[in-house]
């Protein structure tokens, strides 16, 4: 638990008082919370890449979700669907991780280049054992990145690939020389190299990526990484495979044995509603107990990140090595009637709350977290976008990314929050969570809040210390009447961000009237 919010919540429990508001025609109690933001100082810089994404060859993420092929009746540009590109572009995605995931460690990149009809197929053993035709490969991925204006993060194959294969892939993508791989790329229609900013040396090498022990992987990392070269002025940011959740020993061994060869070390943490991988819980139709249990599990990432950060600090006091949370999000049971190997799940207001809580936590570790990638972009796990053939909807999680995008590249403002608790039975969490940041160029301040309570609104009395002569700019809210409210192909806008009327600024005093179950972002400029 983060000390600041914990302390705040404790003080808040004592200070909690109730007002009333009208909720669905009934009078529901409303709590108050105090928020103090110091606008005269800043903490760490929020790397834009904290708002990164992840797209794997899994289920309908790449095929149908992104790639439909040039001959499809679904409007596309060079085979990539236009509606999805437009929606993703609007999110200002800073970085996109590909091709896996577990898929990365069985992917042989040379099968995904050249004329599509000649590309060999393979079995996607992890995800439904479907036949992958390799029509979406390096050129198509880089094209997608250029279309949506994002940096590429490519995960290399350590589990079943060779050092030579990995070395040649990086040469293929980035070399401008008259060299074998660069010439092969030219033969395939791309003259200039691409910029490859981020490269991952294996994925989940403790599991689907090879079932390795950390000591073994640390050596393998050192070996493979040696041959990930910087060609033609491209500088690769090297990411070593990190821990599974709270496996702090993995982080310790990797930091001790290989930190000097890496720029970033990853960690994966998924939120399971029940905490049980065998029966994770449904994406919709859950009760309030399961809702709060899910939030408890989501908030646990605070402790996981804090502990990994502490281990990294032991070996890297200067915080040179970035923590890369390159898989996070809620993982529920697959939608009934769908292929369980495709990990297709609905996305509800609960997911939106979870996304907001994650960002608020990520910001408190902005000095160590260099990137985070939600799993996954389209049709898989906590997706931004769901598609059904030619139809496409934006999910509640999409809207949280949209509302929070203003924090990208900003400096965190110190804050103290005194909030009451949201309780269900004997489980209780802080009702409200908050974050604030300042755009270093424009000076605009962005405040985002999450109200987890399904019934109580919250009146926030916010003191903006040091603030003068500012007004409220944009203000937006995402809310719904039920935690499992979601968008469908028939009702695509049931849960969508709207203008927020509940903010009032008077000098350095900001009043915010948060509805129950809501995420709010307010701009002060
Ligand atoms: O995101 C789905 C899977 O979760 C990824 O392929 C793997 O890395 C993780 O276990």
């Amino acid at each position: 638990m983060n000390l600041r919010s914990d302390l705040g919540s404790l003080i808040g429990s004592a200070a909690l008082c109730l007002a009333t508001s009208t909720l669905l025609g009934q009078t529901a109690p409303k709590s108050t919370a105090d928020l103090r933001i110091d606008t005269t100082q800043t903490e760490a810089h929020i790397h834009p890449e904290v708002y990164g994404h992840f797209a794997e060859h899994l289920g309908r993420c790449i095929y149908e979700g992104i790639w439909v092929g040039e001959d499809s009746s679904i409007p596309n540009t060079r085979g990539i669907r236009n509606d999805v590109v437009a929606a993703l572009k609007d999110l200002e995605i800073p970085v996109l991780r590909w091709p896996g995931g577990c898929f990365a460690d069985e992917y042989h990149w040379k099968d995904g280049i050249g004329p599509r009809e000649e590309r060999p197929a393979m079995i996607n053993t992890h995800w439904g054992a479907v036949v992958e035709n390799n029509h979406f490969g390096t050129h198509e991925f880089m094209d997608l990145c250029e279309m949506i204006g994002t940096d590429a993060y490519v995960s290399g194959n350590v589990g079943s690939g060779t050092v030579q294969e990995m070395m040649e892939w990086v040469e293929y993508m980035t070399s401008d020389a008259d060299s074998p791989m660069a010439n092969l790329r030219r033969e395939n229609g791309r003259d200039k190299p691409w910029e490859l900013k981020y490269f991952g040396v294996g994925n989940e090498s403790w599991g689907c990526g090879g079932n390795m022990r950390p000591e073994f992987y640390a050596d393998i990392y050192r070996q493979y990484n040696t041959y990930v070269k910087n060609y033609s002025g491209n500088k690769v940011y090297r990411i070593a495979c990190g821990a599974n959740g709270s496996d702090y020993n993995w982080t310790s061994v990797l930091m001790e044995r290989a930190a000097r060869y890496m720029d970033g070390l990853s960690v994966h943490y998924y939120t399971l509603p029940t905490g049980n991988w065998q029966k994770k819980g449904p994406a919709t139709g859950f009760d309030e107990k399961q809702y709060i249990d899910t939030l408890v599990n989501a908030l646990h990432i605070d402790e996981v990140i804090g502990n990994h950060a502490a281990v990294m600090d032991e070996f890297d006091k200067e915080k040179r090595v970035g923590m890369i949370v390159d898989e996070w999000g809620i993982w529920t049971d697959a939608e009934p009637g769908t292929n369980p190997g495709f990990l297709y799940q609905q996305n509800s207001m609960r997911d939106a709350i979870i996304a907001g809580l994650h960002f608020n936590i990520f910001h408190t570790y902005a000095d160590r977290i260099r990137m985070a990638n939600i799993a996954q972009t389209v049709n898989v796990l906590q997706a931004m976008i769901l598609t059904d053939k030619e139809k496409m909807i934006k999910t509640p999680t999409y809207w949280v990314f949209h509302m929070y995008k203003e924090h990208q590249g900003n400096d965190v403002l110190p804050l103290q929050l005194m909030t009451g608790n949201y309780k269900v039975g004997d489980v209780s969490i802080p009702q409200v969570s908050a974050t604030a940041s300042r755009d270093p160029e424009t000076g605009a301040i962005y405040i985002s809040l999450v109200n987890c309570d399904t019934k109580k609104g919250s009146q926030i009395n916010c003191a903006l210390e040091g603030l003068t002569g500012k007004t409220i700019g944009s203000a937006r809210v995402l809310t719904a009447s039920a935690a499992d409210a979601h968008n469908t192909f028939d009702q695509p806008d049931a849960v969508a961000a709207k203008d927020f009327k509940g903010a009032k600024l008077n000098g350095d005093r900001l009043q915010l009237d948060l509805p129950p179950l809501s995420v709010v972002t307010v701009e002060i400029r």
Side-chain angles (χ1 to χ4, degrees):
M1 178 60 75
N2 173 283
L3 191 62
R4 260 198 324 252
S5 54
D6 201 23
L7 198 70
S9 132
L10 282 176
I11 301 166
S13 317
L16 175 71
C17 63
L18 300 176
T20 56
S21 73
T22 302
L23 173 74
L24 298 175
Q26 295 172 340
T27 302
K30 191 188 281 192
S31 64
T32 62
D34 291 326
L35 178 62
R36 214 165 63 217
I37 300 174
D38 185 349
T39 71
T40 66
Q41 292 179 46
T42 54
E43 294 178 336
H45 175 75
I46 301 166
H47 293 280
E49 292 80 8
V50 166
Y51 289 83
H53 290 252
F54 169 37
E56 179 169 9
H57 288 237
L58 195 178
R60 294 183 299 116
C61 181
I62 296 292
Y63 297 105
E64 185 191 311
I66 290 170
W67 176 261
V68 288
E70 286 158 340
D71 299 332
S72 172
S73 57
I74 298 173
N76 69 85
T77 303
R78 295 183 293 282
I80 297 174
R81 57 192 292 170
N82 295 343
D83 51 356
V84 171
V85 166
L88 295 181
K89 220 172 159 176
D90 204 22
L91 284 188
E92 297 172 24
I93 292 177
V95 60
L96 182 61
R97 179 173 184 249
W98 172 86
C102 295
F103 181 77
D105 280 287
E106 60 183 24
Y107 180 62
H108 299 284
W109 69 272
K110 281 188 184 164
D111 294 345
I113 57 171
R116 281 188 207 108
E117 56 291 353
E118 290 170 24
R119 295 184 192 176
M122 64 180 283
I123 296 179
N124 189 335
T125 66
H126 292 291
W127 307 120
V130 292
V131 175
E132 153 76 52
N133 64 16
N134 274 309
H135 282 195
F136 190 89
T138 305
H139 290 252
E140 291 78 12
F141 171 66
M142 290 300 193
D143 199 13
L144 169 68
C145 289
E146 287 178 349
M147 282 184 202
I148 60 178
T150 192
D151 288 331
Y153 171 8
V154 171
S155 290
N157 180 347
V158 169
S160 70
T162 64
V163 176
Q164 181 183 0
E165 184 182 6
M166 185 178 283
M167 182 176 184
E168 287 182 343
W169 198 8
V170 176
E171 181 193 330
Y172 185 89
M173 290 185 276
T174 62
S175 169
D176 205 11
D178 182 10
S179 71
M181 290 303 114
N183 286 335
L184 182 58
R185 183 192 67 236
R186 291 185 186 104
E187 276 171 36
N188 288 327
R190 173 79 184 197
D191 180 26
K192 286 283 147 215
W194 294 284
E195 185 183 15
L196 174 66
K197 270 214 177 157
Y198 305 97
F199 192 82
V201 180
N203 167 75
E204 296 196 350
S205 304
W206 39 262
C208 64
N211 285 308
M212 300 175 201
R213 292 167 300 119
E215 294 79 8
F216 183 76
Y217 173 73
D219 281 346
I220 287 280
Y221 172 81
R222 290 165 60 134
Q223 181 194 6
Y224 275 69
N225 173 64
T226 304
Y227 301 95
V228 174
K229 303 289 184 188
N230 289 325
Y231 296 100
S232 310
N234 182 77
K235 179 131 178 29
V236 178
Y237 184 99
R238 292 128 200 283
I239 299 172
C241 162
N244 177 17
S246 54
D247 182 358
Y248 307 116
N249 179 55
W250 182 280
T251 298
S252 179
V253 172
L254 262 290
M255 288 301 289
E256 184 180 7
R257 300 186 180 207
R260 75 190 123 124
Y261 303 104
M262 65 176 79
D263 298 304
L265 178 61
S266 71
V267 57
H268 290 179
Y269 181 82
Y270 283 102
T271 296
L272 272 57
T274 60
N276 175 356
W277 282 100
Q278 269 60 54
K279 210 168 177 351
K280 297 180 269 295
T284 55
F286 46 83
D287 62 16
E288 189 158 13
K289 174 71 170 69
Q290 191 158 106
Y291 167 70
I292 194 167
D293 285 347
T294 311
L295 299 198
V296 169
N297 293 342
L299 289 166
H300 182 61
I301 198 173
D302 194 340
E303 182 182 316
V304 170
I305 292 174
N307 289 345
H308 283 295
V311 174
M312 291 175 83
D313 285 351
E314 282 173 34
F315 300 93
D316 175 34
K317 293 198 175 23
E318 301 72 38
K319 300 188 194 291
R320 185 192 62 78
V321 179
M323 185 188 293
I324 311 290
V325 191
D326 57 14
E327 289 185 28
W328 68 270
I330 180 171
W331 190 326
T332 71
D333 294 333
E335 285 303 313
T338 65
N339 185 333
F342 282 12
L343 311 187
Y344 177 74
Q345 61 191 48
Q346 247 301 352
N347 192 288
S348 70
M349 189 63 210
R350 174 178 70 176
D351 301 43
I353 297 280
I354 287 171
L357 292 176
H358 274 72
F359 288 136
N360 294 356
I361 291 168
F362 290 160
H363 290 182
T364 66
Y365 296 101
D367 59 348
R368 181 59 87 173
I369 298 185
R370 180 68 176 68
M371 186 195 294
N373 310 73
I374 190 164
Q376 297 193 9
T377 314
V378 192
N379 289 336
V380 169
L381 300 180
Q382 191 171 349
M384 307 305 108
I385 286 171
L386 302 178
T387 65
D388 180 11
K389 300 183 194 72
E390 76 290 351
K391 295 185 192 154
M392 183 204 88
I393 53 175
K394 296 170 180 170
T395 65
T397 299
Y398 177 97
W399 288 113
V400 174
F401 272 77
H402 203 272
M403 290 161 66
Y404 270 69
K405 68 181 178 181
E406 304 299 348
H407 290 289
Q408 289 186 28
N410 289 0
D411 298 320
V412 175
L413 294 175
L415 63 78
Q416 276 181 301
L417 172 64
M418 283 153 285
T419 168
N421 286 329
Y422 163 53
K423 283 180 81 168
V424 179
D426 55 1
V427 184
S428 118
I429 59 172
Q431 182 189 349
V432 177
S433 158
T435 190
S437 74
R438 181 166 50 216
D439 184 322
E441 278 164 26
T442 65
I445 290 171
Y446 295 89
I447 304 167
S448 293
L449 302 108
V450 179
N451 180 7
C452 301
D453 199 305
T454 55
K455 298 183 190 75
K456 273 189 218 155
S458 184
Q459 276 179 350
I460 312 281
N461 304 311
C462 176
L464 291 157
E465 289 171 2
L467 190 89
T468 51
K470 303 275 188 193
T471 55
I472 292 176
S474 72
R476 295 207 301 156
V477 62
L478 184 76
T479 187
S481 56
D484 71 345
H486 55 276
N487 295 330
T488 63
F489 294 99
D490 294 330
Q491 284 194 296
D493 301 316
V495 188
K498 300 195 168 49
D499 284 346
F500 179 56
K501 308 282 182 217
K504 285 191 186 63
L505 181 66
N506 188 359
D508 63 356
R509 298 283 140 170
L510 177 67
Q511 291 282 336
L512 298 161
D513 197 358
L514 304 187
L517 268 181
S518 63
V519 180
V520 164
T521 294
V522 176
E523 177 195 38
I524 313 281
R525 60 178 184 213

